[in-house]
C-alpha cells in the first residue's frame, strides 16, 4: 500500500482540528469564523476529510476550505469523487437505510463538482503528521487500513491498535492520532497513544442538539468544543436543491435519519 503523506512540520501553538464539513456551507463558514476570531493561523487548521457529503453546497464548501489554507487529509468522499466512483464509499451495508439515503446527496455532489475541485481532491494526502509540544501527531480520516473504517467510542482496543501499527509502520512512533469519519467526537487511550476523533462540523452527533463538534489541541491537551451555526439556513438550502432524504431534518432535530450504521449501544 503506497500512502501519500504530508508533513506539516512543528505546530507548537494551538491547533484546531475538525472533520466533515459535509457540504454544509453555513457550518464551514462558522468554523472558519471561529478560527479567525481565535487568531488561529491557517497552517494550524487541519481537516480530517469529507469536505463534501450531505449538504447543499459542495462546490462552495470546497472553495471555502481551499481558500482558508488549512491542511486536509482525504476522506472517503474525496477519494470517490476524485476517482469518478458511483457512490460515497462509506461501506454501508447494501440495501441499508444509510446506503439508500446516500444515493441522493452523492449524486448532488457529483453533479456539482468540476475538474479543478476533483484534481484538488486527488492531490490530498492519506495521512498527515506534525509535532506538537514534543509529541508526534498523525491525522487520518477513518482508518489507514480502510479510509472508510468506522471506529466508535466503544470499539475494541485491538481495532485502534491495528490502525496505529499501520501508521507507525509508515511514520515511526507516534504519540497521538486524530481521526474523523464516524461523526462522533471522542477520546481514547490506546496503550501509549492518545486517539482523538475530532468529530464533524456538518452534522450533529445524533444527540438531539443542533451544535456540532471540533477539537482544539493546546499545550499537549485536547478539548472537544461545540460549534453553533445557522442550522436553519443550512436545512433550507438543502430543501431548495431537493435534498430531502432526512439529513435536512437532522440539522434541526439533532438526530440522524437512520441509526443502522451505529453500534447497538449508540442507538
Amino acid at each position: 500500500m503506497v500512502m501519500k503523506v504530508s508533513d506539516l512540520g512543528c505546530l507548537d501553538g494551538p491547533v484546531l482540528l475538525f472533520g466533515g464539513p459535509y457540504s454544509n456551507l453555513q457550518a464551514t463558514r462558522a468554523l472558519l469564523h471561529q478560527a479567525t476570531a481565535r487568531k488561529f493561523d491557517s497552517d494550524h487548521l487541519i481537516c480530517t476529510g469529507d469536505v463534501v457529503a450531505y449538504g447543499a453546497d459542495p462546490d462552495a464548501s470546497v472553495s471555502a476550505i481551499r481558500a482558508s489554507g488549512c491542511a486536509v487529509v482525504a476522506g472517503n468522499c474525496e477519494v470517490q469523487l476524485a476517482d469518478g466512483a458511483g457512490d460515497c464509499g462509506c461501506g454501508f451495508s447494501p440495501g441499508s437505510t444509510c446506503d439508500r439515503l446516500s444515493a441522493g446527496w452523492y449524486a448532488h455532489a457529483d453533479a456539482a463538482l468540476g475538474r479543478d475541485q476533483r484534481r484538488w481532491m486527488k492531490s490530498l494526502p492519506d495521512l498527515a503528521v506534525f509535532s506538537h509540544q514534543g509529541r508526534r501527531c498523525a491525522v487520518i480520516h477513518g482508518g489507514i487500513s480502510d479510509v472508510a473504517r468506522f471506529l466508535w467510542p466503544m470499539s475494541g482496543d485491538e481495532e485502534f491498535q491495528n490502525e496505529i501499527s499501520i501508521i507507525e509502520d509508515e511514520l515511526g512512533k507516534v504519540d497521538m492520532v486524530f481521526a474523523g469519519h464516524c461523526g462522533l467526537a471522542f477520546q481514547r487511550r490506546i496503550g501509549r497513544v492518545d486517539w482523538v476523533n475530532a468529530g464533524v462540523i456538518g452534522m450533529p452527533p445524533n444527540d438531539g442538539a443542533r451544535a456540532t463538534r471540533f477539537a482544539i489541541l493546546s499545550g499537549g491537551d485536547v478539548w472537544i468544543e461545540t460549534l453553533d451555526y445557522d442550522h436553519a439556513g443550512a436545512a433550507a438550502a438543502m430543501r431548495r436543491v431537493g435534498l430531502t432524504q432526512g439529513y435536512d431534518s437532522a440539522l434541526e432535530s439533532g438526530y440522524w435519519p437512520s441509526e443502522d450504521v451505529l453500534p447497538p449501544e449508540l442507538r
Side-chain angles (χ1 to χ4, degrees):
M1 176 182 180
V2 178
M3 279 185 275
K4 288 187 283 188
V5 179
S6 176
D7 189 338
L8 305 179
C10 179
L11 306 178
D12 274 346
V15 182
L16 191 157
L17 300 107
F18 65 100
Y22 287 166
S23 306
N24 183 332
L25 184 59
Q26 289 77 8
T28 301
R29 286 174 171 168
L31 185 283
L32 296 176
H33 176 77
Q34 284 258 0
T36 299
R38 296 182 185 213
K39 302 187 185 306
F40 281 91
D41 294 331
S42 61
D43 61 356
H44 282 58
L45 305 179
I46 304 174
C47 177
T48 64
D50 281 357
V51 176
V52 169
Y54 311 101
D57 296 293
D59 185 73
S61 296
V62 172
S63 294
I65 291 293
R66 292 180 68 180
S68 76
C70 76
V72 183
V73 298
N76 53 282
C77 290
E78 283 78 47
V79 171
Q80 296 293 95
L81 287 162
D83 288 346
D87 60 52
C88 65
C90 291
F92 299 138
S93 299
S96 67
T97 304
C98 287
D99 182 49
R100 289 186 286 106
L101 293 178
S102 71
W105 64 256
Y106 186 83
H108 173 74
D110 196 30
L113 294 171
R115 290 182 182 177
D116 182 59
Q117 304 289 43
R118 293 174 198 261
R119 278 195 294 267
W120 173 77
M121 291 177 173
K122 190 76 171 177
S123 74
L124 294 175
D126 306 297
L127 175 63
V129 59
F130 66 95
S131 63
H132 177 84
Q133 302 289 319
R135 304 184 77 192
R136 204 148 181 260
C137 307
V139 185
I140 64 172
H141 180 60
I144 287 295
S145 65
D146 177 0
V147 66
R149 185 175 189 180
F150 286 98
L151 290 170
W152 303 101
M154 68 289 300
S155 295
D157 283 6
E158 68 281 358
E159 296 184 61
F160 293 97
Q161 189 57 61
N162 172 254
E163 300 299 331
I164 292 167
S165 295
I166 299 171
I167 291 168
E168 292 192 326
D169 284 345
E170 183 70 26
L171 297 180
K173 178 183 173 183
V174 297
D175 303 291
M176 305 184 77
V177 176
F178 291 90
H181 185 60
C182 78
L184 305 180
F186 65 89
Q187 300 184 54
R188 286 276 299 272
R189 181 74 174 180
I190 308 297
R192 55 176 174 73
V193 176
D194 289 313
W195 185 286
V196 180
N197 192 305
V200 298
I201 63 169
M203 190 67 58
N206 200 43
D207 64 352
R210 295 156 177 167
T212 59
R213 303 291 188 272
F214 63 96
I216 290 179
L217 170 65
S218 181
D221 295 321
V222 177
W223 292 267
I224 301 297
E225 302 212 5
T226 56
L227 177 69
D228 293 310
Y229 71 98
D230 180 13
H231 60 273
M238 291 179 71
R239 291 165 187 149
R240 281 196 298 271
V241 298
L243 292 176
T244 55
Q245 295 87 3
Y247 292 108
D248 58 323
S249 299
L251 300 183
E252 298 175 319
S253 72
Y255 290 110
W256 299 351
S258 173
E259 295 185 330
D260 59 7
V261 70
L262 287 166
E265 305 95 309
L266 294 176
R267 297 181 185 179

